[in-house]
Amino acid sequence: MRIDVLTLFPEVCEPFFDGSILGRARRAGSVTIACHNFRDFTTDTHRKVDDRPFGGGPGMVLMCQPVFDAVEAVEKLDLLPATRILLTPQGERLSQNMVRRLVELPRLLLIAGHYEGFDERIRIGLSPLEISIGDYVLSGGEAAAMVLTDAVVRLLPGALGDETSAHEESFSSWPLDPANQNESDDMASSAALLEYPQYTRPRDYKGMSVPDVLMSGDHARIKAWRREEALRRTRTRRPDLIPSPRKDDFDDDRR
Ligand code: 6GU
């Protein structure tokens, strides 16, 4: 997979893409990540990338020219067809289901804006997917591009040291109900559990001890305990994640 990130602050993004899991995935060749600066594509003598909004108002707006030219030039760097993604608080909210769809694509082109926003013609002319990472406002799309990249790359084969860990974590599939394992875009059935509590050495720390079951060596009991804890945690913290049974499922059972 290839990911290109267009930003005014490549120096902010690059160190993140070199760290831990992302860095390892890059070195292993699972993903190519390249950051590009809009400013390198401006035709303006002062390398201007933003201007005041027509009609007045606060802040500056990212101009069409550097963005269109950057997208065109960067797409030509590779034959792989790129899916354009604009990071914006007005986009569809990023979810693990969306991440699972994105990781199937050969190439992502992430467009991170700064300032007050983009010229509307960037949306119209580039027809990108628009993605937000949550209901809060960031001062730029860089953090969102990093979040999205991390979430996607860790699902690439070989990106995690232990192949099983991506599946056992919070927001992976619902382990109790096989009927719900099918992928779906419908939020009600995007089943997930929060992760069970984890412990490591020492067995006692400041009077807090590790649950006995984890020291028992009984793998069936450990598995059952973890499932119960994951369920308990999900019920109390995120009851919205627990799928509600569909009405017609019940109807079918009665026949
Ligand atoms: Cl993608 N961009 C900005 N500026 N703020 C956000 C966001 C993106 N997602 C949530 N808040």
Side-chain angles (χ1 to χ4, degrees):
M1 175 178 230
R2 177 176 173 128
I3 302 178
D4 290 283
V5 182
L6 271 53
T7 164
L8 288 166
F9 302 97
E11 74 282 1
V12 171
C13 303
E14 251 142 18
F16 179 79
F17 294 139
D18 265 332
S20 126
I21 302 241
L22 289 183
R24 189 168 60 188
R26 287 173 96 177
R27 287 188 294 276
S30 308
V31 65
T32 299
I33 303 177
C35 300
H36 316 271
N37 196 332
F38 293 123
R39 220 173 274 286
D40 294 337
F41 299 90
T42 174
T43 52
D44 182 81
T45 39
H46 300 104
R47 306 229 302 161
K48 202 172 156 63
V49 290
D50 59 326
D51 210 335
R52 300 196 323 249
F54 281 130
M60 300 289 270
V61 175
L62 201 51
M63 298 160 77
C64 285
Q65 183 275 319
V67 178
F68 277 83
D69 287 359
V71 168
E72 190 186 347
V74 167
E75 284 186 345
K76 280 192 188 137
L77 295 176
D78 197 298
L79 286 172
L80 290 172
T83 299
R84 300 168 180 168
I85 297 176
L86 190 67
L87 283 317
T88 163
Q90 298 167 40
E92 186 180 348
R93 182 127 47 102
L94 186 67
S95 65
Q96 192 64 25
N97 267 346
M98 214 188 292
V99 172
R100 283 190 279 257
R101 291 203 304 276
L102 295 175
V103 75
E104 300 299 329
L105 298 169
R107 185 178 179 195
L108 306 178
L109 181 75
L110 307 183
I111 306 169
H114 231 252
Y115 309 127
E116 298 303 308
F118 308 89
D119 189 302
E120 185 63 17
R121 291 164 293 187
I122 292 169
R123 287 193 180 84
I124 297 168
L126 296 177
S127 27
L129 299 177
E130 297 183 40
I131 296 181
S132 160
I133 61 163
D135 294 339
Y136 40 81
V137 180
L138 304 168
S139 49
E142 283 74 24
M146 291 188 262
V147 165
L148 189 154
T149 300
D150 184 290
V152 168
V153 170
R154 62 190 295 291
L155 294 189
L156 288 171
L160 299 179
D162 174 1
E163 272 308 300
T164 61
S165 45
H167 300 291
E168 287 205 357
E169 280 166 311
S170 302
F171 299 108
S172 59
S173 60
W174 183 257
L176 293 182
D177 179 3
N180 246 303
Q181 302 252 338
N182 287 333
E183 185 66 39
S184 167
D185 294 345
D186 168 29
M187 277 311 290
S189 60
S190 70
L193 283 183
L194 299 182
E195 202 176 3
Y196 50 76
Q198 296 273 29
Y199 294 87
T200 187
R201 295 192 299 172
R203 190 168 178 168
D204 273 284
Y205 185 73
K206 294 186 175 171
M208 299 178 283
S209 56
V210 176
D212 287 337
V213 58
L214 297 179
M215 315 303 290
S216 69
D218 181 340
H219 294 294
R221 266 186 69 214
I222 291 170
K223 202 171 166 193
W225 180 85
R226 286 178 165 168
R227 192 163 49 202
E228 216 28 70
E229 290 299 314
L231 261 175
R232 185 204 317 280
R233 200 163 259 198
T234 309
R235 260 190 239 108
T236 53
R237 298 186 186 194
R238 293 294 304 277
D240 58 299
L241 292 177
I242 295 177
S244 48
R246 279 171 305 191
K247 197 175 164 298
D248 36 321
D249 287 352
F250 283 111
D251 292 345
D252 282 354
D253 286 348
R254 308 253 152 100
R255 271 195 256 129

